[in-house]
Structures are given as C-alpha cells and as structure tokens.
Amino acid sequence: MRIILLGPPGAGKGTQAEFIKKEFGIPHISSGDILRANVKEGTDLGKEAKGYMEAGELVPDSLIFGMIEERFGMADCQKGFLLDGFPRNESQAVTLDEMLTKMGTKIDLVVLLEVEPELLIARAVGRRVCQNCGAGYHIENMPSKVEGICDKCENELFHRPDDTEETVKNRIEVYQKNTKPLIDFYKNQKKIRAVDSSKPLPEVAAMISKILNDLH
Ligand code: ADP
Ligand code: AMP
C-alpha cells in the first residue's frame, strides 16, 4: 500500500501517520523528520536545508529528490509506505510518479486532511515533540502527563523553531501557493479522498482506517 497524506501544516499528518503505520504495517516517511534529523546531525544536506526550514520556506527540490530516492531504496519500503510532507509542489509530484514508475509501482491513494484554517495555527504553535523518540503532543489537545516531558521515554519535549506563529503563517501561505494545487493534480488521477481533520483524533483515525481498509 502506497499512500500520501496531504494537508496544510498542523493538519494532523504526522499524528495520523503513527496510527496508520501501526495498523497497516507500512513505514511512515516524513520528509520533514528526515530533514530535521539531518539538521541535528549537521550533515551537508542539513546545513543546506536549515535556513529554508527556519523561514518556513520549501527546501529546494534538488535536495529533496536524492533524500527521498535514498529512503525508497531501504528494505522496509518494499511492502509500501506512507508519505507525509512529500510531495509538496507539482514538480515533486511529477518526479514522484516517475520514481515509482521506475520501481514498477504507483501511488494507490492520497488522503487529504482538511482543517478549518483558524485551527491550524493553534495546532502547530501548540505542538511539542519528543527530542528522543519523536512522539508528538499538543499543549492543550494532547498534553503529556508531566509538562515538557515525554510520557513514553521521559526525555524532554521540544518546540520546533518553525512552530512560531509568524513562521506557521508563512508555512500556511507556502502550502496555499505550492502544495494546494496538488489536490487537482491527484483529482485528475482519481486518487484523492478527503477527511475532516478538524474532528477529534480518534474520529479522524477511524475515518482514515475505513478508507484504507476499503482499498484492499
Ligand atoms: P502535521 O504533521 O500535519 O503538521 P501534526 O500531526 O504534527 O501535524 O499535528 C499538529 C498538532 O495538532 C500536534 O500537536 C497534534 O497533537 C495536534 N493534533 C493533530 N490532530 C489533531 C486532532 N484531530 N485534534 C486535535 N489536535 C490534533
Ligand atoms: P514538516 O515537518 O512537513 O512540517 O516540514 C518542515 C519543513 O521542512 C518545511 O517547512 C520545509 O522547509 C521542509 N520540507 C519538508 N518536506 C519538504 C518537501 N517535500 N519539499 C521542500 N521542503 C520540505
């Protein structure tokens, strides 16, 4: 099963991906997570990507393509994957189709997470992520038991530097301009299903689960 989760920043892609990954046994490929790991490790890719990420701008396609191709080459992608944060513009969507054609496969479905715009900023600004295991929280919607500490591994939670109100607003604009056109791109391929991600987490997870189970 090869799935794309599409939606604006803060829509719930990463959160839902964790549910889907467990239920369907496919890896969660988050381009943002891979980039953040590179920034943390100080790789050449991380050094080049850092400034774009902090400003809420897209990292150039030339850096993204190699990174994704390398990830697709890993053994766990054989049985499928769940893409989160990639593709993010039309050129990436076209290149993704080309990469998959070469691999003799294709995208099965795009799940679009729709959220009322006024909820997005609060969701992204309130997001907290574990430094160690990557678990996601929200200061109001999904708080950790002890403030600032991960429930799962007891390491410190961090506030992403691009989750400030100003940068989130820019990321939403970047989404509207570059990523939203992909809705029509995948409508033309008859591959898109929309889910109301303004609803509580378990409801959204149940809707996605039903859509993916119907795919089999
Ligand atoms: P994305 O990966 O799309 O940028 P996340 O999955 O990280 O978004 O979600 C952003 C924030 O919103 C997180 O702090 C998460 O806990 C919270 N969140 C996600 N889905 C919901 C939901 N359905 N209801 C309430 N809060 C949510
Ligand atoms: P995300 O974790 O998906 O919110 O992404 C965080 C940041 O990483 C974005 O604001 C971009 O700067 C960068 N990024 C992630 N994925 C991509 C992509 N597919 N293309 C370009 N930039 C990306």
Side-chain angles (χ1 to χ4, degrees):
M1 191 191 276
R2 290 169 182 84
I3 307 292
I4 297 173
L5 277 183
L6 189 65
K13 301 181 294 297
T15 310
Q16 294 300 335
E18 289 305 302
F19 285 108
I20 301 168
K21 170 177 139 180
K22 282 191 199 121
E23 187 176 345
F24 294 91
I26 48 175
H28 167 205
I29 302 181
S30 157
S31 47
D33 284 351
I34 302 175
L35 287 167
R36 278 184 289 279
N38 276 276
V39 171
K40 199 171 167 189
E41 286 161 25
T43 64
D44 289 344
L45 168 62
K47 282 180 196 146
E48 287 192 73
K50 191 170 188 270
Y52 296 100
M53 295 172 76
E54 280 174 358
E57 296 293 332
L58 293 187
V59 173
D61 290 351
S62 54
L63 298 176
I64 300 291
F65 292 150
M67 174 186 108
I68 294 290
E69 208 150 23
E70 191 185 334
R71 185 64 187 87
F72 282 167
M74 295 182 187
D76 63 344
C77 288
Q78 292 292 327
K79 55 190 169 184
F81 47 73
L82 177 67
L83 290 174
D84 157 12
F86 176 86
R88 235 170 167 108
N89 58 31
E90 193 158 332
S91 135
Q92 294 186 7
V94 169
T95 302
L96 171 63
D97 280 350
E98 288 168 0
M99 282 180 196
L100 295 180
T101 303
K102 263 198 241 157
M103 290 160 63
T105 186
K106 60 176 176 41
I107 290 296
D108 297 305
L109 194 74
V110 179
V111 179
L112 171 66
L113 299 186
E114 294 181 308
V115 182
E116 293 149 23
E118 53 274 23
L119 276 180
L120 287 178
I121 295 177
R123 278 202 187 170
V125 172
R127 166 168 44 204
R128 296 293 182 272
V129 186
C130 177
Q131 298 260 26
N132 178 48
C133 72
Y137 297 87
H138 188 280
I139 50 171
E140 280 161 10
N141 307 342
M142 254 175 80
S144 55
K145 287 188 192 112
V146 179
E147 197 186 322
I149 302 294
C150 180
D151 293 350
K152 294 181 184 151
C153 70
E154 297 186 350
N155 277 278
E156 243 178 271
L157 301 183
F158 86 109
H159 188 209
R160 280 170 45 177
D162 60 344
D163 274 345
T164 60
E165 186 163 341
E166 194 193 345
T167 310
V168 171
K169 281 185 179 157
N170 188 41
R171 286 163 58 207
I172 294 172
E173 276 177 29
V174 168
Y175 172 82
Q176 301 284 356
K177 182 164 171 263
N178 298 279
T179 315
K180 215 175 164 196
L182 295 186
I183 297 175
D184 281 338
F185 181 92
Y186 288 114
K187 266 189 191 159
N188 288 337
Q189 295 192 357
K190 300 194 173 24
K191 282 188 181 162
I192 200 154
R193 291 286 306 272
V195 163
D196 180 2
S197 195
S198 305
K199 297 265 192 303
L201 275 171
E203 275 185 48
V204 182
M207 288 187 278
I208 299 176
S209 171
K210 179 163 182 342
I211 290 173
L212 298 188
N213 274 308
D214 287 349
L215 254 189
H216 286 309

